[in-house]
Amino acid sequence: MFHLQKATQVTSADADREGPETLLALAEHYRYPPRPAAGPGAAAPFVRANMVSSIDGAATHDGKSGGLGGDGDKTVFRVLRGLADVVLVGAGTAITEGYRQPKPDDAFAELRQENGQEPAPALALVSRSLSVPPDYPPLSHPDTVVLTCASAPADRRAALVDAGATLVDCGEDDVETSTLIATCGDRGRPRVLCEGGPSLLGSIIADDLLDELCLTTSPYLAGGRAGRIAVRAGDGDEDTAALKAMTPAAIITDDDGYVFTRWLRHGRSSIH
């Protein structure tokens, strides 16, 4: 059971954790901002990230973020995918976490139809090196795209194309974050859900492109050497990095002790 808190008001869902009433209530809570049916605003991406960490900031347990999750986290994960046009994820993270092609979810079919969305979100894999096994199942799906750069190894590019993959260059020497986000909009997938990994999210944050962070705090202390939810390679002294202000929007808790928070960038809100 979820307990929704906005400001000082707390409400409780009466349905089971996976019940349709709970799913639709969460879908309303997490809805993307309304957008025009046509025109420039229809293609403007809204970038949401969904991440999980332990109480002490670890982003993984036993090498996977899934090791920190619980039933409530899986439900929120399902809802956020049910609302998104595209799941944006680093290729390495997708392979490590065992990603497969997102499938239509009957619970959100009517809502997606009302929003003019495809039955399921597309999958966008980000990879500068193209170190993706050619037999990775989602590659050949027509809704999957690999976002890379022009300097990616030619032999790996050829191998992935031969495997049926769709590749889009988003920069010359590196994958430019602003270009890959714009590409999602250009391909008709403006409701962007970033699921990491930390390097990709770190780049999105550094370029001030993150509109919303949905953060699950797992009720565990992890210790160890696990990394954070966002990193940016090559930034040098972390104390010189600019802080990115976010506004707390809402808090949800579940009966297992998980805390689900939403943080919104000023001026880009899906809360009304």
Side-chain angles (χ1 to χ4, degrees):
M1 185 179 295
F2 289 89
H3 311 285
L4 174 60
Q5 178 176 328
K6 290 185 179 180
T8 58
Q9 182 179 5
V10 179
T11 60
S12 299
D14 295 326
D16 292 337
R17 188 174 279 146
E18 290 285 351
E21 293 180 16
T22 297
L23 291 173
L24 292 178
L26 287 172
E28 173 65 17
H29 172 67
Y30 282 107
R31 72 190 186 279
Y32 283 82
R35 57 194 323 111
F46 184 97
V47 183
R48 163 184 283 165
N50 182 33
M51 304 295 286
V52 62
S53 76
S54 65
I55 298 170
D56 53 340
T60 59
H61 178 63
D62 288 338
K64 295 184 178 182
S65 62
L68 295 171
D71 289 340
D73 181 57
K74 293 175 182 176
T75 299
V76 170
F77 179 91
R78 177 183 175 185
V79 169
L80 295 183
R81 282 200 168 193
L83 298 174
D85 290 323
V86 58
V87 176
L88 180 70
V89 62
T93 295
I95 294 168
T96 298
E97 301 283 349
Y99 274 47
R100 291 296 181 260
Q101 188 68 30
K103 296 181 179 180
D105 189 330
D106 290 343
F108 307 104
E110 184 175 348
L111 182 60
R112 295 183 70 89
Q113 186 175 21
E114 291 175 357
N115 290 334
Q117 295 176 276
E118 296 295 329
L123 183 61
L125 304 170
V126 182
S127 178
R128 180 183 183 278
S129 66
L130 294 181
S131 298
V132 183
D135 61 352
Y136 181 52
L139 282 179
S140 59
H141 194 282
D143 289 339
T144 295
V145 62
V146 180
L147 305 178
T148 186
C149 57
S151 63
D155 57 337
R156 294 176 182 172
R157 180 186 296 270
L160 295 186
V161 170
D162 288 345
T166 300
L167 275 61
V168 177
D169 289 337
C170 296
E172 292 295 326
D173 297 325
D174 204 350
V175 180
E176 298 175 359
T177 312
S178 59
T179 304
L180 69 86
I181 296 298
T183 297
C184 292
D186 293 342
R187 294 178 67 85
R189 305 280 185 169
R191 301 173 183 86
V192 179
L193 175 62
C194 176
E195 295 181 349
S199 295
L200 174 59
L201 180 56
S203 296
I204 290 173
I205 291 172
D207 291 340
D208 200 22
L209 295 170
L210 184 66
D211 295 306
E212 177 176 337
L213 173 64
C214 299
L215 178 64
T216 298
T217 301
S218 180
Y220 299 101
L221 296 168
R225 299 180 179 274
R228 298 160 47 185
I229 64 169
V231 298
R232 181 71 185 270
D235 275 347
D237 185 356
E238 63 179 17
D239 291 336
T240 65
L243 294 175
K244 309 294 184 182
M246 304 289 280
T247 300
I251 301 172
I252 301 175
T253 61
D254 70 9
D255 293 339
D256 296 324
Y258 284 80
V259 180
F260 309 90
T261 54
R262 296 182 66 193
W263 299 86
L264 294 163
R265 187 171 68 165
H266 179 69
R268 295 299 301 272
S269 175
S270 59
I271 301 295
H272 301 280

